[in-house]
Amino acid sequence: MAWDETGLSGLQAQLAHEMVSRVTAFTFGPDVRLVRGVMTSPDRPGAGRVVLWDGQRLDSSVAFDVPLTDAQGGNIPAGDIAAALRGVASDWPEHETEKAPRDAFGIPVIDASALVHAFVAEPRFKVPDALHAAAAAFSLSPEPEDPAELRLRGFLLLDQATYRLYLDTPESQDAPPFGIDLPIQDEKGAVTVGVTAVHAALPVLLLGELERMRKDAHDPYCHTVYDMVAWLSDS
């Protein structure tokens, strides 16, 4: 599949939108990496350029050129590019950065195409990716004629295996939200992203079946907690 300039510009716009939400996002690990900029790579057609820095020193900046399409020509979801870039940024050796060519602003530029394509072929997500994907699934702006049945009020990473989403309904008004606990890892211990099944089933479960999953837990941020970890494991 060949992408024209209009199609590639649309993918670039999606990448920029995805990265905006991560401008102040801390990565897990000893180093902080924030998004300083997102541009179209002038040297590599079909690639976006993402500049990361430590949030304090501009000379800590490193640019990574990331492909917008996979080896077969299909578009790579912006969320997958972000997840791949998180791994690339944390694993890239410092001595390789020092040898990299620099752009007009003096920023080292790394070609991360092969590493992103390898991630797409065999995804290896990290905990922040799972948390981001879950929160984003419930925070998307609905169409005016199709109001959301559930609304994200907040979220909290409980530990390395579980996170809690705080949700309410359009009828909640000023009432506290309810919490649902969801797993981060699959049965093999690998980090998983996406809560499609939960997003689709929750409005139905709220009609009564969800009560079976009520958890005996005190949480000052919500009125009730439901544990959906086992439910997802059985799905």
Side-chain angles (χ1 to χ4, degrees), residues 43-222:
D43 309 317
R44 299 181 176 92
R49 179 165 293 175
V50 180
V51 183
L52 305 180
W53 69 315
D54 66 4
Q56 300 183 57
R57 298 178 300 105
L58 287 176
D59 62 2
S60 70
S61 300
V62 182
F64 294 90
D65 281 359
V66 295
L68 302 174
T69 59
D70 59 26
Q72 288 72 46
N75 69 291
I76 304 175
D80 286 0
I81 295 177
L85 186 55
R86 187 191 298 277
V88 172
S90 62
D91 298 338
W92 192 261
E94 183 66 29
H95 68 273
E96 292 294 334
T97 300
E98 295 172 357
K99 296 188 297 184
R102 297 176 179 259
D103 72 357
F105 294 94
I107 302 171
V109 178
I110 308 298
D111 182 5
S113 299
L115 294 171
V116 172
H117 282 152
F119 176 91
V120 172
E122 189 177 348
R124 294 180 301 279
F125 294 101
K126 296 181 183 295
V127 170
D129 301 315
L131 183 61
H132 177 270
F138 285 93
S139 62
L140 296 177
S141 299
E143 296 295 328
E145 65 275 9
D146 185 24
E149 295 178 277
L150 292 168
R151 179 179 63 169
L152 181 75
R153 289 272 295 272
F155 55 89
L156 178 66
L157 181 67
L158 300 179
D159 52 44
Q160 294 286 346
T162 316
Y163 55 85
R164 181 169 295 166
L165 299 183
Y166 297 105
L167 306 169
D168 68 6
T169 65
E171 296 77 27
S172 298
Q173 297 182 350
D174 295 331
F178 63 90
I180 59 169
D181 287 358
L182 298 168
I184 289 174
Q185 302 174 353
D186 62 17
E187 63 278 2
K188 297 180 180 178
V191 173
T192 59
V193 302
V195 289
T196 304
V198 174
H199 193 275
L202 257 181
V204 177
L205 294 175
L206 279 172
L207 298 177
E209 190 176 349
L210 191 63
E211 198 60 28
R212 296 190 298 106
M213 306 175 199
R214 181 187 285 264
K215 187 176 182 179
D216 183 16
H218 171 68
D219 185 335
Y221 302 118
C222 62

